Amino acid sequence: MRIGWIGLGNMGAPMSGRLAAAGHDVHGYDLVDEAREAAAALGVTVEDTVAATVAGADVVVTMLPHHDIVRAVLDGPDGVLAHAEPGAVVIDSSTIDIDAARSLHASVSAAGFRFLDAPVSGGISGAAAGTLTFMVGGDVAVLEEVRPVIEVMAGRIFHTGGPGNGQAAKLTNNMMLGITLAATAEGAVLAERLGLDARTFWEIAQVSSGDSWALRTWYPVPGVVETAAVNRDFTGGFATALLRKDLQLALAAGESTATALPFATAVRDRMDQLVELGLADRDCSVLVKLVGGELSSPARDEAVAATLSQETTA
């Protein structure tokens, strides 16, 4: 298939590169030179405009940081819907607001295209390995049509239901990730201060009740887990600002469904603190530095403690 790909960042480049390696004719677009170069090195034909990227495409994929950007790229006068072939399937693999995803289903369909909200889980390592989990909301018949494309990038594909349900699954999952990341960071620091060998404790936890994806993949002690961002000074990976965004979206969903989410609130507040300290672009596992006391903001620490105490009591 000919595929147009918008957004060639940390996730978009390896995902589109896998499609190119599988023999698809992949054309990509991004504003950032480094992202363009990374995708080109993986076999993606990099274009200078959205119009050129989506011309003649059977499938168009967007992987972007925020729903406002997704909407602008799709609906804008120079956007996807103005230049793609009628009937093309548009897949948004960004993580965005649930209501925004449902609105895009309506607007994209009204313009004569098919739409799936299909966010992913598995991180940069999963994108490179083609083992991502896709959570797909929308018409199951459309999913089956493009399944051969998605399978190149996926370890698992789940049809989660109607429009927006892919985002609902992703935001709930990422909320849980944030909470387990915080628990992993606290456990790593406590284990070290109790005199436990980091690798030995990690091996125990991953086969015991303390196991989690965050522990197995992101354990924040140098030299224990090869894929952990701590080994590269927390560069790359899942940015603090993005986890903060996802937690905020999950909290908004909690508010709309009258669901109390005190632990997610506490972790969101920790992400706020990291952003305030200038670490928005660092991998979110830099949280371990807050837990360990290497970074500190007393006022924020007190606010986080107060929030968790009040909401768990409530």
Side-chain angles (χ1 to χ4, degrees):
M1 291 187 182
R2 181 177 170 113
I3 299 169
W5 193 288
I6 315 296
L8 301 170
N10 288 335
M11 294 292 289
M15 291 170 71
S16 59
R18 286 197 63 85
L19 290 171
H24 293 290
D25 180 17
V26 185
H27 295 249
Y29 176 79
D30 199 288
L31 294 173
V32 178
D33 287 341
E34 290 83 353
R36 294 163 60 86
E37 292 167 4
L42 294 172
V44 176
T45 301
V46 177
E47 305 286 359
D48 292 327
T49 65
V50 170
T53 302
V54 303
D58 304 293
V59 177
V60 176
V61 185
T62 52
M63 176 60 91
L64 298 162
H66 191 274
H67 63 259
D68 288 338
I69 300 174
V70 176
R71 185 176 297 280
V73 165
L74 292 180
D75 292 344
D78 297 318
V80 171
L81 303 185
H83 297 285
E85 295 294 322
V89 177
V90 179
I91 303 172
D92 179 39
S93 285
S94 317
T95 300
I96 65 173
D97 177 77
I98 298 166
D99 289 338
R102 289 173 177 156
S103 175
L104 286 170
H105 272 273
S107 62
V108 172
S109 297
F113 301 88
R114 279 86 55 73
F115 186 77
L116 297 172
D117 60 287
V120 302
S121 180
I124 294 173
S125 59
T131 57
L132 294 170
T133 296
F134 276 74
M135 295 154 270
V136 185
D139 189 335
V140 68
V142 177
L143 169 58
E144 292 308 313
E145 182 178 334
V146 298
R147 182 178 289 271
V149 172
I150 296 176
E151 283 179 336
V152 174
M153 304 176 283
R156 294 181 177 85
I157 303 169
F158 293 95
H159 181 243
T160 58
N165 278 19
Q167 296 297 342
K170 174 62 186 291
L171 292 175
T172 303
N173 179 78
N174 274 22
M175 179 192 75
M176 295 168 66
L177 168 64
I179 294 168
T180 56
L181 170 62
T184 299
E186 291 185 3
V189 171
L190 179 61
E192 180 182 23
R193 291 180 178 176
L194 289 172
L196 294 169
D197 175 75
R199 177 169 290 278
T200 299
F201 175 72
W202 175 76
E203 290 175 350
I204 292 168
Q206 71 163 329
V207 295
S208 302
S209 54
D211 185 35
S212 70
W213 186 92
L215 179 132
R216 281 178 270 114
T217 311
W218 287 355
Y219 196 69
V221 174
V224 175
V225 179
E226 183 179 352
T227 53
V230 67
N231 298 316
R232 53 182 188 273
D233 194 28
F234 302 100
T235 57
F238 187 16
T240 293
L242 292 180
L243 178 57
R244 194 266 174 208
K245 177 204 73 174
D246 292 355
L247 289 167
Q248 188 59 41
L249 291 174
L251 291 172
E255 184 175 352
S256 70
T257 56
T259 306
L261 302 171
F263 296 105
T265 300
V267 180
R268 187 279 316 274
D269 289 346
R270 285 299 211 183
M271 294 299 113
D272 283 347
Q273 184 177 0
L274 291 170
V275 170
E276 291 170 3
L277 291 167
L279 298 170
D281 294 333
R282 296 296 183 97
D283 184 88
C284 55
S285 61
V286 74
L287 173 62
V288 73
K289 288 181 171 288
L290 278 181
V291 176
E294 297 172 65
L295 304 168
S296 182
S297 171
R300 177 64 67 177
D301 288 344
E302 291 173 8
V304 171
T307 296
L308 184 57
S309 176
Q310 292 168 4
E311 297 203 17
T312 52
T313 300

